[in-house]
Amino acid sequence: SSGINAEWPLRPGIGFCNVTNLLPYIEMPTQIIGCTVAMSTTLIAGLTIKCIAKHKLDFASFFFPPGAPVGLALLLVPVETISFFSRAVSLGVRLGANLTAGHMILHIISDFGAQMLASGTAGGAIGGVLCTAALVPVCILEIAVAVVQAYVFCMLTTMYLNDAHELH
């Protein structure tokens, strides 16, 4: 239940920013990878502090799964530590990179269409119209990506919160 409470305010806010990013001349924080990584790092840091406050020294068990052979500790502890701290970066980069990639595709297609139209030839005019027509399904796909990425960000944050709450 703690995950649902944490996810609810995140999803509409991130979804709004993601969809608003699709408007011309508007840049929201979720399009800037530095901002998304800072946001996800802050979330993971908060979850870590919550986990340490709740579980005290038992938090260390997060890095050594229960039931694992003690002989594997030298291998498992560094891997689990890297895995735990890479969550913050991967969460933010996933959100920012997917939105940026979509913007780049839109930009490339529209620039290519504009250059074809500017060529002044009949083939250029046909190609330019086709490129412009291709922007419609790409924009629809971008809206879907924006909504799905908000969902993925919030769902992963909820899963990480559950992990911190239950120590795995």
Side-chain angles (χ1 to χ4, degrees), residues 81-145:
T81 303
I82 291 168
S83 171
F84 181 80
F85 289 109
S86 67
R87 289 176 171 185
V89 175
S90 69
L91 192 61
V93 168
R94 180 185 299 108
L95 178 61
N98 282 318
L99 297 176
T100 301
H103 278 61
M104 292 175 75
I105 290 170
L106 286 171
H107 185 72
I108 289 167
I109 292 172
S110 60
D111 272 0
F112 187 60
Q115 288 178 8
M116 291 182 83
L117 285 171
S119 71
T121 64
I126 293 170
V129 168
L130 289 175
C131 284
T132 304
L135 289 174
V136 173
V138 173
C139 283
I140 292 169
L141 178 65
E142 276 302 292
I143 293 169
V145 167

Side-chain angles (χ1 to χ4, degrees), residues 22-78:
L22 299 173
L23 299 173
Y25 307 110
I26 295 178
E27 189 170 21
M28 299 295 276
T30 56
Q31 185 181 355
I32 304 165
I33 292 178
C35 287
T36 59
V37 170
M39 181 173 54
S40 63
T41 302
T42 304
L43 280 168
I44 297 298
L47 293 177
T48 303
I49 291 168
K50 179 183 188 252
C51 184
I52 292 170
K54 179 179 180 180
H55 298 290
K56 310 287 186 252
L57 289 177
D58 287 339
F59 172 73
S61 71
F62 202 84
F63 303 107
F64 190 71
V70 177
L72 290 177
L74 289 175
L75 177 66
L76 283 177
V77 171

